[in-house]
Amino acid sequence: MGLRGTKVPHKKNTAALASEALPTPPVVTIPMSMHIGKPAKPVVKRGDEVKVGQLIGAPDGFFSMKIHSSVSGKVKAIDELTMMNGMKVQTVVIESDGLQEKSDEVKPPVVSDFDSFVEAVKNSGVVGLGGAGFPSFIKLGVKELTRIDAVVINAAECEPYITSDTRTIIEKSEYLAKGIEAVRKFMGVQRFVLGIEDNKTEAIEKLRADFASTDGVEIRVLPSMYPQGGEKVLVYHTLGRMIPRGELPIDVGVIVINVTTLAFIGEYLETGMPLTEKCVTVDGSAIETPKNLNVPIGTPIQNLLDFCKTKAEPAKILYGGPMMGLAVPSADNPVLKQTNAIVAMDEKEAKPPKTTPCINCGRCLNHCPLKLDPRAIARAYKLGEAADLDRLCVDICMECGCCSYVCPAKRPLVQTNKLAKAMLRKYLREKEDKK
Amino acid sequence: MKKLMSSVSPHFHGAITTQKIMLDVIIALMPALIASNIIFGLRALLVEAVCVAVCVLSEWGFEKICKKEVTVSDLSAVVTGLLLAFNLPVGIPLWQAAFGSIVAIVVVKQLFGGIGQNFANPAATARIIMMTAFSGTMTTWVFPDGVSSATPLAIMAKGEGDLPTYLQMFLGYRGGCLGETCVLALLLGGIYLIARRVITWHAPVAFIATVALMSLICGKDVGYQLMSGGLMIAAFFMITDYSSTPAENIGKLVFGVGCGLITILIRFWGNYPEGVSYSILIMNILTPYISRLTRAKPLVGGGK
């Protein structure tokens, strides 16, 4: 039997729209942190001339990333920006000359074995493009390759509005094939399972046609049920394996990779152009003409809104979809590497619903894919009972939002779970320290 | 540009609200309300109106006095009022009906924290208190034509008097409380609630099946047992109450079976002819334990 979840509105208004190029913005603001790990260090200074694909941020240690210029032009400033989590991060602000000249550094990589493949992935600057931003070279750079018997390609795209993965499949399926071939050749994995929700008919047809004769690639069409694209959910629904608490997909012999990430790796191996441009779905109730746009990374969100026109003043803007997306503080914030959508909501759509008392209906736990009990978690959190939170396994919560979505009392359950997770982490750390 | 709103995900919410759920329950109770007035005459409407009005007023008053947020707009007090009225005989003095309403809302619901917090079913508990306090008026069953009749369960228990036919039982023409007699109306309401996913089938089916099976084993008439007393109204409207019953399906099954067994025990071996209200209250008390024992384990994987 499948895991629990909920039906959310699809609103895939842009699924059939070919992606368009956004005109090069006059200024881009490129943060040094668009990944999980240490921020990169700027290697350019004010006044430097830069070109597209040129390194502007070097990794600070192993768990960090390379960052490249998305435009050609002149570095205007090394500045600072407040990110969604409230952290300040350095940015490189570049004034574009509009020419989009390619840097001499851009050359197709020479890849001959596993190590050079991982090195190439590292040099491409790619991170998990499904939204997580985890450095791909770390994910793919596994020590014991023999542990992996399958790669799960995440093309579920279960969030409302977002269609950028769908468009990538339709428009760049040859690069996806190249990415798959590279992983097969250099990592020795023979089985690829691509999970996609059944509401993406055009993409499914394309995949079936293009991969019909490719051995070892399974196209698995899954019901459109949120959160089908959650890592644990997808691995369970494609391979029947449950990733244990506190462990990673690799512990059940799997690597999960987003379809756009893998297609980008395929593209990079051919062109050598690092991650400087992103396909972004622009939609939401405040947007007049929703589109998929190919956008230089660092482009202010406002430029995307202007290009797609707004029919109402945006009251809330999200990086990502409405279920798990992050509210951005300002429309001046830039498009990041891992941004797959910009959702701009009008006043009505953005208005948070009124919270009323919990009626104990149990909808939250009956819809939780991981069978957590948000009511009990909320109680334990309120009472400060960290040991109970441990027993209730709040740490495995993936914050998919099903509980909050189905709650008739509109309780902020995800928010409570996040706070409870932090409380549990602190408790476990202190317990560890005492030993 | 205006300041952008910021909040934790999700940024979408389902359309369902507490008020919409309660409205669905009220809609599901309408067939029984109409039936009660056809069967017992328009005094039924008076009793129902008094119970609803007093329930809503006492909830409003209690919350005002305690300086709590007023929650009457969630319509749960209307549901309690209707259910209590449906558990009273048509001849009940109005002041007694009002008293029962205050007990249901203030004592059983609000003193335990209001909606979602009460461990016992307000209507069932208020009915039990009224049975004790007003045992005369609570067991006098009169039809509009002035003929008084014992309930089928009392007739069966005593072994004297004429039992109504199956058809009369199904349509509700028998001695009993206002909303409990018309099986047809209650079934319609119950199916509506299941179709609207306000309730699940688990507790009602477990309850009804247990009573049917035990009646069969004990050699009683299954049809009369199922259509008598408060069994049908309890099955769909009272043992499906959110706050006083388990939230998970296995727990709901256990709850239904427990209610069935206790009902049978009281009906066949107890001093009272009817045991549904008591069975609900006893199982309400056991609910935290049922929930704990039947709780789904978080999917931690690895066979742990």
Side-chain angles (χ1 to χ4, degrees):
Chain A
M1 228 177 62
L3 301 181
R4 297 160 174 183
T6 188
K7 298 257 181 234
V8 295
H10 298 313
K11 297 188 182 266
K12 304 277 190 187
N13 310 315
T14 49
L17 304 177
S19 63
E20 297 172 42
L22 181 80
T24 310
V27 178
V28 292
T29 302
I30 303 178
M32 291 295 105
S33 178
M34 300 186 275
H35 53 266
I36 294 173
K38 271 185 104 174
K41 283 183 171 160
V43 292
V44 287
K45 55 185 190 304
R46 193 173 165 207
D48 283 0
E49 297 277 345
V50 292
K51 291 191 172 155
V52 181
Q54 183 180 332
L55 190 76
I56 55 168
D60 182 12
F62 174 74
F63 211 123
S64 187
M65 285 304 300
K66 288 189 175 183
I67 288 163
H68 305 86
S69 177
S70 59
V71 292
S72 60
K74 197 186 259 181
V75 176
K76 203 173 132 194
I78 308 294
D79 205 354
E80 222 177 34
L81 177 77
T82 307
M83 301 292 273
M84 299 75 65
N85 56 10
M87 300 272 279
K88 289 227 189 287
V89 60
Q90 271 190 315
T91 57
V92 174
V93 183
I94 305 166
E95 223 161 23
S96 157
D97 58 15
L99 303 173
Q100 290 304 83
E101 277 180 276
K102 208 156 69 167
S103 161
D104 296 339
E105 294 170 16
V106 176
K107 287 192 287 282
V110 181
V111 178
S112 56
D113 56 4
F114 174 67
D115 290 337
S116 53
F117 171 66
V118 174
E119 189 61 23
V121 173
K122 186 175 177 177
N123 289 334
S124 76
V126 72
V127 296
L129 300 180
F134 187 84
S136 302
F137 79 92
I138 297 177
K139 187 186 261 191
L140 295 176
V142 267
K143 296 280 177 301
E144 307 146 74
L145 278 175
T146 47
R147 284 173 75 190
I148 310 158
D149 65 358
V151 169
V152 170
I153 303 168
N154 191 347
E157 206 165 48
C158 55
E159 277 266 7
Y161 288 123
I162 309 179
T163 62
S164 51
D165 282 348
T166 306
R167 290 319 302 177
T168 302
I169 292 168
I170 294 166
E171 295 168 18
K172 294 191 168 177
S173 117
E174 76 278 12
Y175 287 134
L176 176 61
K178 286 205 167 70
I180 290 174
E181 275 327 300
V183 172
R184 192 202 304 272
K185 195 165 160 196
F186 301 118
M187 297 183 68
V189 186
Q190 296 306 324
R191 188 177 178 203
F192 294 82
V193 185
L194 184 145
I196 184 164
E197 281 193 344
D198 59 10
N199 60 354
K200 298 163 186 70
T201 32
E202 193 185 347
I204 294 167
E205 273 169 37
K206 176 83 178 153
L207 287 166
R208 283 200 169 133
D210 289 2
F211 290 94
S213 57
T214 317
D215 280 341
V217 179
E218 301 161 41
I219 309 299
R220 199 68 64 81
V221 178
L222 304 164
S224 301
M225 188 220 50
Y226 185 84
Q228 195 66 266
E231 192 166 78
K232 281 189 177 180
V233 178
L234 190 68
V235 170
Y236 188 76
H237 285 172
T238 50
L239 300 173
R241 300 177 199 172
M242 180 49 79
I243 301 164
R245 182 182 187 185
E247 294 184 18
L248 297 167
I250 186 105
D251 297 308
V252 293
V254 186
I255 284 181
V256 183
I257 191 163
N258 167 268
V259 67
T260 301
T261 312
L262 192 54
F264 174 77
I265 291 172
E267 186 174 356
Y268 176 75
L269 293 178
E270 183 160 305
T271 64
M273 175 57 83
L275 185 60
T276 58
E277 191 185 81
K278 201 50 219 305
C279 179
V280 177
T281 303
V282 184
D283 205 340
S285 51
I287 300 295
E288 191 172 301
T289 43
K291 288 179 196 296
N292 276 300
L293 296 179
N294 293 314
V295 182
I297 285 161
T299 305
I301 291 170
Q302 190 61 51
N303 292 42
L304 281 65
L305 301 183
D306 292 344
F307 190 75
C308 296
K309 296 199 178 65
T310 48
K311 56 185 176 191
E313 182 160 18
K316 193 196 255 182
I317 299 175
L318 308 175
Y319 278 135
M323 292 304 287
M324 288 189 73
L326 293 164
V328 298
S330 147
D332 299 331
N333 273 49
V335 167
L336 310 176
K337 282 181 180 177
Q338 69 272 40
T339 306
N340 50 7
I342 295 294
V343 172
M345 297 177 154
D346 63 16
E347 193 82 40
K348 185 164 163 264
E349 195 181 23
K351 197 177 172 222
K354 187 177 151 31
T355 299
T356 55
C358 169
I359 56 171
N360 254 314
C361 64
R363 280 176 176 78
C364 50
L365 70 150
N366 288 324
H367 283 87
C368 177
L370 300 177
K371 297 192 180 175
L372 298 174
D373 186 348
R375 303 171 310 165
I377 291 168
R379 256 195 308 274
Y381 173 74
K382 205 172 163 189
L383 296 170
E385 297 283 358
D388 276 352
L389 293 174
D390 192 20
R391 189 175 49 76
L392 292 164
C393 304
V394 66
D395 50 297
I396 66 172
C397 169
M398 51 190 171
E399 298 167 20
C400 65
C402 283
C403 53
S404 296
Y405 183 82
V406 299
C407 179
K410 314 296 168 199
R411 313 285 308 163
L413 298 167
V414 172
Q415 192 171 348
T416 314
N417 280 8
K418 279 180 184 233
L419 294 166
K421 281 161 90 169
M423 180 188 274
L424 176 60
R425 273 197 299 274
K426 185 163 168 260
Y427 165 79
L428 293 176
R429 217 171 28 239
E430 282 167 6
K431 209 164 121 182
E432 199 60 35
D433 289 348
K434 272 187 205 145
K435 276 189 192 158
Chain B
M1 194 170 162
K2 266 197 312 191
K3 208 169 157 7
L4 289 174
M5 257 186 244
S6 185
S7 67
V8 172
S9 61
H11 308 278
F12 266 8
H13 294 272
I16 193 157
T17 61
T18 303
Q19 191 191 45
K20 283 182 188 164
I21 290 171
M22 295 303 160
L23 191 62
D24 263 341
V25 179
I26 293 167
I27 291 169
L29 285 169
M30 282 305 116
L33 182 126
I34 294 165
S36 70
N37 283 281
I38 297 172
I39 298 163
F40 297 105
L42 282 175
R43 189 166 197 281
L45 198 62
L46 191 63
V47 175
E48 285 149 1
V50 166
C51 285
V52 169
V54 175
C55 277
V56 172
L57 271 175
S58 50
E59 180 147 293
W60 178 84
F62 184 91
E63 286 172 336
K64 277 283 174 200
I65 290 167
C66 296
K67 297 194 166 56
K68 285 171 56 169
E69 194 188 343
V70 173
T71 60
V72 291
S73 63
D74 67 24
L75 301 179
S76 65
V78 176
V79 171
T80 302
L82 280 174
L83 282 175
L84 179 62
F86 285 3
N87 276 288
L88 302 176
V90 69
I92 190 88
L94 296 180
W95 70 269
Q96 291 180 358
F99 172 83
S101 304
I102 294 171
V103 167
I105 291 294
V106 175
V107 179
V108 188
K109 184 181 177 187
Q110 288 296 343
L111 285 183
F112 286 90
I115 188 166
Q117 301 298 316
N118 50 297
F119 76 92
N121 186 300
T125 312
R127 174 188 149 102
I128 289 170
I129 291 169
M130 290 175 75
M131 284 283 279
T132 317
F134 318 119
S135 51
T137 49
M138 281 296 283
T139 51
T140 305
W141 320 99
V142 207
F143 283 104
D145 51 15
V147 178
S148 71
S149 151
T151 66
L153 285 173
I155 296 168
M156 285 188 281
K158 285 185 187 145
E160 53 193 52
D162 291 328
L163 274 173
T165 63
Y166 271 165
L167 183 67
Q168 284 173 320
M169 294 285 287
F170 188 70
L171 296 176
Y173 287 93
R174 55 128 166 135
C177 297
L178 288 181
E180 70 177 24
T181 67
C182 184
V183 175
L184 174 66
L186 294 168
L187 277 177
L188 285 176
I191 290 166
Y192 175 78
L193 287 186
I194 293 172
R196 298 278 296 164
R197 298 187 183 206
V198 170
I199 64 169
T200 68
W201 56 268
H202 301 80
V205 168
F207 181 39
I208 293 168
T210 304
V211 172
L213 187 72
M214 291 309 291
S215 304
L216 207 63
I217 292 171
C218 298
K220 306 279 183 177
D221 187 310
V222 176
Y224 279 114
Q225 288 303 327
L226 292 188
M227 295 193 282
S228 292
L231 192 136
M232 282 294 160
I233 191 168
F236 294 109
F237 294 98
M238 299 174 80
I239 70 168
T240 52
D241 174 44
Y242 290 146
S243 66
S244 58
T245 69
E248 288 174 273
N249 292 342
I250 300 171
K252 290 183 208 282
L253 286 173
V254 174
F255 190 94
V257 170
C259 282
L261 291 177
I262 296 168
T263 300
I264 288 294
L265 213 61
I266 295 172
R267 279 189 183 179
F268 296 170
W269 289 286
N271 276 332
Y272 285 104
E274 169 59 321
V276 170
S277 310
Y278 294 96
S279 78
I280 297 171
L281 188 58
I282 292 168
M283 292 308 289
N284 283 164
I285 293 165
L286 292 176
T287 290
Y289 302 97
I290 299 169
S291 296
R292 183 172 296 182
L293 292 173
T294 59
R295 182 159 49 204
K297 299 235 169 359
L299 293 179
V300 290
K304 269 177 261 177

